[in-house]
Amino acid sequence: MKIQLYIFILLLTLFTFNLNGVAFLVYRINALFSIPALLLALFAISLNIKTPKNLEYVYWVLKPWLYFFMIYIVLGTVSLFFTGIFRDSSLDIFRSLITTVIVIFSLTILIFNLSKQYGFLNLVYLFTLFLTIATLFILVIDYFSLRIFVEDKYGSRNPGLFVNPNDGGLVGVITYVFLLYSLKTVKRIFYRVCIIIACVLVVYATFLTFSKAALIGILLVTFLYIITHIKKSFFKLILATVFVLFFFNSQWDTIKQGLDKNQLRRVLDFENILTGEIDNETTTGRSEINENAWYLISEKPFAGYGLGNFQNISMLKGASHNTYFQIWGEAGIITLIIFVFILLKTIRKGLDSVYEFNDKFLIFSFILIISLFSLVSNNILDNRVVNIFLAITAVIIHTKPSDENPLCHR
């Protein structure tokens, strides 16, 4: 069992801190840790070959997602033959989807097995700690005025140990979710105070990424947390919300003084989006890309353009910036319907009365983050932190976590 724990910790380290991105930054080597991470994932699965019931159980837990990825690959490949266009990116997408399946499967089986010995919550706390450290690196980078990733068009945004600033914002929102989840499970006052302080710092770090989707995500997660727990902790939640708002309001002038014109413009764009002003300027050019994507999809709505072809059409300027359009444009309308159906089915699962308030919050947060960031990113399913979140959510949906006892089937 210890070897599985070591593998789990190594995978958390590789994925949460994006060591591939660090290796590229320092040595300009692409995907240095991808093969070792994949081998670790395969080894984690192979350790359970002698206990096929574990493999069968995880297959049952992940069945909707496994079917989705299988259909995505099959229909996307078939569409390649209809279009007659084969690119190197087609192989890249195929490899990415297969790797994602292996990663999700291995993480789920590790969480399921390790929960029996170490407790589900302890694994969640470990992941939360890794997430928090990674997100707080944004503050370190900002404090020392380090400019790692520079986007000339939009100004410099500090992403930390992430692929890009938007990825940093996504991880920041996920960190915020798990901190709030942990806040309702810890009992000692000291730890609760530390988590509250960490929440404030993580929200500020997320703001420093200047990702509009992340800022909206923070607001929605906060609202979801209040709605989910309002029956039990109304006054505490209102007090905490007022405190956070007061903190940012009191520091707003100081924050603005440290922003350049491009950064300030992005903040103003975010404010305009909240007021309903959604156009090509406030969305940083993505409205035009979405319009072009919709036009291209209308030309091939049923079959799509095939794996790796859609985002490489010149009208999209190298990316669709939308997972829904990406799925539809590559593998057709059937694959998109299945993807949306899985999200809706997960919502229905979350509404089940058997789940505690905190479990519901985590389940709904997963749906919220997938749904929101799918609107602004075409590679949300390939994000390894999201993969870990998916695995944890799948285990919660199908098992009952307990500090004292092994996981029991719901």
Side-chain angles (χ1 to χ4, degrees):
M1 186 65 71
K2 282 189 176 181
I3 191 171
Q4 295 197 44
L5 178 61
Y6 297 149
I7 292 174
F8 183 66
I9 293 174
L10 282 173
L11 290 177
L12 286 185
T13 303
L14 290 168
F15 297 153
T16 308
F17 294 99
N18 186 31
L19 294 190
N20 272 323
V22 175
F24 177 78
L25 180 67
V26 178
Y27 302 108
R28 291 297 187 267
I29 300 175
N30 285 314
L32 176 64
F33 295 100
S34 291
I35 293 178
L38 183 59
L39 292 175
L40 282 171
L42 288 169
F43 184 51
I45 296 173
S46 68
L47 289 174
N48 294 273
I49 290 178
K50 294 182 178 180
T51 54
K53 288 185 178 181
N54 288 345
L55 296 176
E56 291 175 9
Y57 172 75
V58 173
Y59 168 77
W60 174 70
V61 166
L62 295 175
K63 185 164 61 173
W65 288 106
L66 296 178
Y67 283 175
F68 162 73
F69 283 113
M70 180 183 68
I71 292 171
Y72 193 168
I73 292 171
V74 171
L75 294 185
T77 303
V78 171
S79 296
L80 286 174
F81 290 94
F82 278 108
T83 59
I85 301 174
F86 299 88
R87 309 172 188 261
D88 291 339
S89 57
S90 301
L91 183 60
D92 290 339
I93 295 295
F94 178 83
R95 183 168 55 244
S96 174
L97 291 172
I98 293 295
T99 302
T100 298
V101 171
I102 294 173
V103 166
I104 292 173
F105 197 95
S106 64
L107 289 170
T108 304
I109 201 166
L110 284 171
I111 293 169
F112 173 67
N113 287 339
L114 293 173
S115 295
K116 297 176 181 178
Q117 181 171 348
Y118 299 102
F120 176 79
L121 287 178
N122 289 328
L123 300 182
V124 171
Y125 294 152
L126 182 63
F127 182 44
T128 305
L129 178 63
F130 277 48
L131 283 171
T132 304
I133 295 172
T135 304
L136 292 183
F137 263 103
I138 298 173
L139 299 180
V140 175
I141 290 170
D142 182 74
Y143 180 80
F144 288 103
S145 298
L146 301 176
R147 305 299 184 186
I148 294 181
F149 293 90
V150 178
E151 299 187 6
D152 294 331
K153 185 177 180 181
Y154 307 123
S156 178
R157 293 184 288 168
N158 298 319
L161 304 175
F162 309 104
V163 176
N164 53 50
N166 290 325
D167 181 54
L170 168 62
V171 175
V173 175
I174 295 176
T175 304
Y176 185 54
V177 168
F178 277 89
L179 283 170
L180 292 177
Y181 180 82
S182 300
L183 182 62
K184 300 298 292 186
T185 59
V186 298
K187 305 300 181 183
R188 295 182 61 179
I189 298 297
F190 173 77
Y191 293 131
R192 294 175 67 85
V193 171
C194 289
I195 290 174
I196 292 173
I197 294 173
C199 282
V200 175
L201 293 176
V202 163
V203 170
Y204 180 56
T206 305
F207 168 80
L208 291 178
T209 67
F210 297 99
S211 168
K212 292 188 283 290
L215 296 178
I216 294 173
I218 287 290
L219 292 177
L220 292 178
V221 167
T222 302
F223 179 74
L224 176 62
Y225 187 76
I226 292 174
I227 293 298
T228 306
H229 295 88
I230 198 169
K231 293 182 179 179
K232 302 188 71 175
S233 307
F234 177 78
F235 291 107
K236 291 181 181 179
L237 290 169
I238 294 299
L239 181 63
T241 303
V242 170
F243 171 77
V244 172
L245 292 176
F246 174 78
F247 173 82
F248 276 93
N249 184 61
S250 64
Q251 298 297 317
W252 179 234
D253 289 336
T254 304
I255 293 172
K256 285 198 296 186
Q257 291 176 3
L259 303 180
D260 59 34
K261 291 182 179 180
N262 289 320
Q263 293 170 339
L264 184 59
R265 180 178 63 82
R266 292 188 65 85
V267 174
L268 294 176
D269 287 345
F270 169 71
E271 293 177 351
N272 291 333
I273 288 176
L274 292 181
T275 60
E277 187 179 337
I278 301 176
D279 52 34
N280 204 46
E281 183 177 349
T282 59
T283 60
T284 323
R286 294 187 183 184
S287 294
E288 180 183 357
I289 293 175
N290 284 337
E291 290 176 5
N292 292 335
W294 178 252
Y295 169 76
L296 292 168
I297 286 173
S298 66
E299 295 290 307
K300 289 181 176 292
F302 297 106
Y305 293 82
L307 296 178
N309 284 338
F310 186 66
Q311 66 188 39
N312 285 310
I313 298 176
S314 59
M315 290 177 64
L316 300 183
K317 302 176 182 178
S320 63
H321 294 294
N322 189 306
T323 297
Y324 303 109
F325 284 162
Q326 185 76 10
I327 295 171
W328 196 351
E330 286 193 341
I333 185 64
I334 294 176
T335 312
L336 176 65
I337 291 174
I338 294 172
F339 177 65
V340 174
F341 174 77
I342 292 174
L343 297 181
L344 293 175
K345 186 177 180 180
T346 306
I347 292 175
R348 186 182 65 81
K349 283 277 190 180
L351 294 173
D352 196 326
S353 60
V354 73
Y355 299 105
E356 298 177 352
F357 287 114
N358 220 26
D359 291 344
K360 289 177 182 289
F361 167 70
L362 203 60
I363 294 170
F364 291 138
S365 293
F366 173 74
I367 298 300
L368 187 155
I369 288 171
I370 290 290
S371 302
L372 173 64
F373 281 89
S374 289
L375 291 171
V376 298
S377 171
N378 56 279
N379 57 356
I380 186 71
L381 297 175
D382 188 39
N383 187 288
R384 297 301 176 233
V385 175
V386 172
N387 292 165
I388 302 171
F389 197 176
L390 190 157
I392 290 175
T393 305
V395 172
I396 282 184
I397 288 175
H398 294 282
T399 56
K400 184 177 178 61
S402 171
D403 288 324
E404 297 81 19
N405 302 316
L407 294 178
C408 304
H409 292 283
R410 286 194 187 273

